[in-house]
Amino acid sequence: MSGFSARQLAPVIGLVVGLTLGLVYAWIITPVELVNTYPALLRTDHRQDWARLAALSYVADGNLGRARARLEGLKHEDVASAIQVLIEEYAAAGRPADTLRSLTTLAKALDVHTPAMLVYLYTPTSSSPAYASEPSLTPTPTPTARLSSLKSHTPTPHASSPLATPTRKPTRTPRPPTPTPLPLPPFQLAQQEQICKSGQTPHIEVVVRDEHGAGLAGVEVWLMWPGGADRAMTGLKPQSGAGYADFNAERGVPGSVNYSLGIGELGMPLVTDLRIAFCPPKKGKEPLLGSWRIVLERRPSETE
Amino acid sequence: MRERAQRWVMQATAGAVVGLAMGLAVGWWLWPVQYTNTAPAVLRQDYRDDYVVMVAAAYEVEGDLGQARERLILLDPEEPAAPVTELAERLVEASGSVQDITRLARLAWALGAITPTLTPYLEGQP
C-alpha cells in the first residue's frame, strides 16, 4: 500500500518542485521585460502630467482628435483632475483668456467640469482663431494614429526652410467671425468711492452689475496704467458677489500711477485718472492709503 | 528495490519537467508580472515620441524651460535634449508634421542642442 502511495507521490512532488522553480524563474529571475508600456500604466503623477501635456498641446495646436487620442485609455478621473487643476491654476495666474478658452473647450469636450471654466465658456471670444474645428496639421484623425505612423505622413517636397513650404502650411482658414453669444453691452460708471480701512493694501474693487443691479459674473475687466495692464474676471470670488473682481494697486509711489478701467479686451476705458491716494486725515491717526470701489452698471437697452 | 527507486526518480523528474513548463507558461504568458507605476522612459516608442512632442508643445504654451527639461530627464537623464533632436530629425526624414518639427526645433534650440538639420525650422529665432 505504502509502495503504491510513494509511486503515486513521485510525479506530484516533481510537479510541485518544477512548478515552483518555473514560477521563480519566470517571475523573479527573468520576469517579463518592462518595455513598450502605455500611458495608462504610468505612475499617477506621470499619468496626470501626461493629461496635462495633452491639454497644453491642445492649446498649442487646437487638434481635438489628437488630444482625445492621447488621452484614450486613461481613467476619466485622472484626466478630469489634471485638466481641472490646470484650468484653476491658469485662471488664478491670469493667463490669457484665449488659452483658458481653449482649455475650457477641451474640458467641455471631455466632460470635465470645474467652476473656474464657466467664466470662459460663456464669454465672447476674441479675434484670435478658435481652434476646435480647424483642420489638423498632423494626420492623426483616428484615435490610434500616433507618431509611429510616420510613413502615413504625406511626403512633402523639401524647401530650404520648411516653415516657408507652402504645401505643408496648414490651411488655417480663419473661421468666419462667429456671432458672439453674449455681446458685451455698454457699461457706465454708477459709483466710485474711496475705501479707507486700516490695514488694507491699496487695491481697486470693481463690481459689474446689470441694469437691475444684479451682479454680472464672467465679465472681463481690465485695469490699465502707463506701461502695463491687468485683467480680472468677475465672479471668481463668489463670496464677494457675482459681479465682483479686484486688482492689486500697489505700484510706484502713491498717487504716481494713473489707472484706467475698462470692460472687455478692446473696451474703451470707462473710468480714467484713477489714482491711489491718501484718505482724508483723521486727528491722531496715521495717514491711510485708500483703495477704490468702482461700480459699473450696464446701460438699459434702447428697446426696453 | 533499486528498480523501484529508479522508477520513482524518473516519475519525479517527469513531474518536475512538466511542472517547470507549466510554471514558465503561467509566469510568462498566462499570468505575467503586472507592471504599474511605470515611468515615461519605458513607454512604447510611439508614446515616447508623442510625449516628446507634447513637451515641446507645452514649452511653447508655458515657456517654462526648466519644466520641459525635467520632463525630458525622465526619458534621458544624461542628455535630456537627445530625444528632442532625435525625434525632430526622424520627423524631418519622414516628412512629418512641420508644426511638430518646428516646436521640437525651438525646444532643441532652447536646450542648446540645435542641429544643422533643424536650423531651417528656427525661423524667427535669434
Side-chain angles (χ1 to χ4, degrees), chain A residues 3 6-7 10-11 13-15 18-19 21-23 25-27 30-32 34-39 41-44 46 49-50 52-54 56-57 59-61 66 70 90 95 99 137-138 146-148 150 153-156 158 160-163 168 172, chain B residues 4 7-8 11-12 15-16 18-20 22-24 26-28 31-33 35-40 42-47 49-51 53-55 57-58 60-62 71 74 87 90-92 94-100 102-103 106 120-123:
Chain A
R7 212 181 306 149
I13 292 171
L15 195 76
L19 191 66
L21 287 175
L23 287 176
Y25 189 77
W27 282 346
T30 55
V32 172
L34 188 62
V35 289
N36 295 336
T37 66
Y38 46 94
L41 294 184
L42 288 171
R43 211 172 62 198
T44 308
H46 295 317
D49 197 42
W50 179 279
R52 183 187 172 97
L53 285 171
L56 289 171
S57 300
V59 172
D61 64 20
R66 201 178 192 188
R70 283 166 169 163
Y90 269 40
R95 292 273 185 164
T99 303
L137 195 67
T138 46
R146 295 195 171 276
L147 283 172
S148 61
L150 287 175
H153 291 288
T154 316
T156 313
H158 267 273
S160 58
S161 168
L163 283 177
R168 291 297 299 178
R172 278 201 174 178
Chain B
R4 187 184 290 176
R7 198 181 302 156
W8 194 94
Q11 284 176 341
V18 171
L20 191 68
M22 283 171 65
L24 291 177
V26 168
W28 278 342
W31 195 13
V33 175
Y35 284 102
T36 53
N37 297 334
T38 62
V42 293
L43 285 170
R44 209 171 61 200
Q45 185 65 48
D46 56 338
Y47 288 115
D49 291 348
D50 219 8
Y51 183 81
V53 169
M54 289 197 292
V55 169
E60 182 177 290
V61 174
E62 298 195 304
R71 283 169 171 146
L74 296 172
L87 173 62
R90 197 148 38 89
L91 283 172
V92 170
S95 302
S97 159
V98 171
Q99 200 180 32
D100 286 345
T102 304
R103 287 198 183 105
R106 285 179 183 151
Y121 291 82
L122 288 176
E123 202 175 71

Side-chain angles (χ1 to χ4, degrees), chain A residues 204-219:
Chain A
I204 295 170
E205 297 179 3
V206 183
V207 175
V208 182
R209 58 193 197 197
D210 65 13
E211 58 273 39
H212 306 296
L216 283 174
V219 177

Side-chain angles (χ1 to χ4, degrees), chain A residues 121-125 178-184:
Chain A
L121 274 179
Y122 301 112
T123 49
T125 54
T178 48
T180 51
L182 276 178
L184 281 176

